[in-house]
Amino acid sequence: MRRIAGIVLAVLLIGGVVAAVVAGRQGGDKGTATKTVRGVIGSEKSDFFADPDVVKALAARGYTVKTEASGSWAMDGLDLKGYDFAFPSSSAPADQLAAKYHARQPLPRPFYSPLVVVAHRSAAEVLTANGLAVLDGKGRGTLKMAAYLAAARRDRTWQQLKGATAHGELTGTLYITSTDPETSNSGALYLAATSYVANGGRVVAGDADVARTAPLLRRLVSVQGAQQPSSDAVFRDFISGAGNPLVCLYESQVVSLLAEQHGADDLVVLYPDTTVNSDHTIVPMDDTGRRLGELLSTDPTLRKLAVKHGFRPQGDSAEFVTATADRAAYLNQTLTGVRQAPVPTSAVLHEMARRARG
């Protein structure tokens, strides 16, 4: 009897230990489990979502975010069934996706970034000497868009500009490198900004405006030859010293680079006097995607991390100014002297891009 009682007691003890371990694991899972959220994002946000601090902050709020990169305008050609959200780089492709997938308005717009032109110092100084730009300091200046477009209409070359002969790398036609406007948001917004100036300070709104501005836009694009599908690719080429000395991309990419390198002697950031803000807009495919968008918009930690990656949070410019004080030599933190051009409708932008690409 004693032996039987001992066996029974041992079984009960083992059972209790197993139950406690299982319960502990279940309790631990409840404390650390996250909901996986799948999305397609513009490539310029890849580093943000891959940042360990962002991953940690999202996990603390109950989310594991899995992303795939795509050109913002190319998202319309993807099958997004099974995804929780799409996150293009501006409102125009987002509105198009929202209509296609019947996403509820308003769409979350957590942060934005203006288009800028990065230049090698020699190029910026030559532009300034010829009245095409104004340098405000060591690494920052303003690009005079009307003057630049006038030079583009006349097919000006670097060799025709005063002071360019001292810089052997400045040869050939003067132009700004941009991305493919039919697939990439930054390329499309470049057309939006230049067409606004070319159209006399009016947004391109119909067939007559498109026809009026198309020859110039075609000239701006055709001189580039083959275009990259993403701004990340053109920025990498610029930083490596390859390619064109003038490149149009997002301010956020520059801010992020400066955070890593704490300065770049050969870099000048030119803010076009007429530019376009890229409103990074989430298109929720379901309630989970919408909650993620709202979290990115309102959570203080995630807003700070967005600034770390160069984005300007919506609604509070002071956050960006304070966080980038150490890079003020390169940044127009308050966008002083910069006019914001309206963005044409998706249909008009598509037609502009199609005609610009020929």
Side-chain angles (χ1 to χ4, degrees):
M1 289 295 294
R2 288 193 189 119
R3 185 176 180 185
I4 293 172
I7 292 172
V8 171
L9 180 60
V11 170
L12 290 173
L13 287 171
I14 292 172
V17 170
V18 171
V21 170
V22 171
R25 286 178 177 171
Q26 290 176 339
D29 287 345
K30 288 180 181 177
T32 60
T34 59
K35 182 177 182 61
T36 298
V37 187
R38 294 183 65 209
V40 179
I41 63 172
S43 61
E44 70 291 328
K45 292 183 285 288
S46 295
D47 288 345
F48 172 76
F49 281 104
D51 185 334
D53 290 334
V54 173
V55 173
K56 182 180 177 181
L58 288 169
R61 279 78 175 165
Y63 295 96
T64 296
V65 180
K66 302 291 185 182
T67 63
E68 300 170 26
S70 167
S72 293
W73 287 102
M75 291 180 189
D76 187 55
L78 303 176
D79 182 1
L80 298 180
K81 292 179 181 177
Y83 290 87
D84 298 292
F85 70 97
F87 201 174
S89 303
S90 72
S91 57
D95 289 340
Q96 183 171 300
L97 288 169
K100 180 177 180 178
Y101 290 95
H102 308 290
R104 176 168 54 87
Q105 297 283 352
L107 303 178
R109 291 181 167 86
F111 39 72
Y112 68 97
S113 185
L115 282 184
V116 299
V117 173
V118 291
H120 294 303
R121 179 164 299 282
S122 58
E125 290 174 348
V126 169
L127 291 179
T128 299
N130 288 270
L132 300 176
V134 176
L135 288 181
D136 302 324
K138 172 187 176 183
R140 183 184 70 232
T142 302
L143 177 68
K144 296 183 177 181
M145 285 288 280
Y148 166 69
L149 294 182
R153 285 190 181 94
R154 297 195 300 271
D155 290 323
R156 296 290 296 275
T157 65
W158 284 105
Q159 292 93 324
Q160 292 172 328
L161 299 182
K162 180 175 60 177
T165 54
H167 306 282
E169 72 278 10
L170 300 179
T171 60
T173 304
L174 169 68
Y175 69 90
I176 295 170
T177 293
S178 59
T179 55
D180 183 348
E182 292 191 290
T183 60
S184 172
N185 182 66
S186 61
L189 293 187
Y190 175 62
L191 296 187
T194 52
S195 67
Y196 181 81
V197 177
N199 200 38
R202 299 184 303 273
V203 65
V204 174
D207 293 341
D209 290 339
V210 171
R212 185 181 305 111
T213 58
L216 175 59
L217 300 187
R218 173 63 180 155
R219 189 183 299 267
L220 296 176
V221 169
S222 62
V223 71
Q224 300 182 44
Q227 291 178 291
Q228 295 276 17
S230 76
S231 55
D232 277 353
V234 295
F235 196 28
R236 285 195 300 269
D237 287 347
F238 176 85
I239 294 302
S240 69
N244 196 44
L246 301 172
V247 175
C248 176
L249 39 73
Y250 300 115
E251 179 195 55
S252 59
Q253 294 168 286
V254 180
V255 178
S256 183
L257 171 75
L258 293 173
E260 297 172 4
Q261 296 190 0
H262 306 290
D265 290 339
D266 190 43
L267 174 68
V268 176
V269 185
L270 298 175
Y271 286 77
D273 55 16
T274 300
T275 191
V276 173
N277 283 342
S278 179
D279 289 311
H280 295 267
T281 305
I282 286 186
V283 182
M285 303 297 171
D286 53 32
D287 289 341
T288 301
R290 182 167 292 277
R291 285 194 294 270
L292 176 66
E294 292 169 350
L295 186 66
L296 291 172
S297 301
T298 60
D299 183 83
T301 299
L302 289 168
R303 285 173 67 92
K304 288 180 181 178
L305 289 169
V307 175
K308 170 187 171 184
H309 286 271
F311 301 109
R312 294 174 179 251
Q314 296 282 6
D316 188 355
S317 60
E319 285 182 80
F320 181 84
V321 171
T322 300
T324 60
D326 59 332
R327 286 153 279 176
Y330 296 89
L331 306 175
N332 185 343
Q333 294 175 295
T334 59
L335 299 179
T336 302
V338 176
R339 179 169 55 172
Q340 172 68 24
V343 178
T345 65
S346 295
V348 171
L349 263 180
H350 275 303
E351 180 61 15
M352 287 167 57
R354 185 187 71 79
R355 296 185 64 167
R357 290 281 292 164

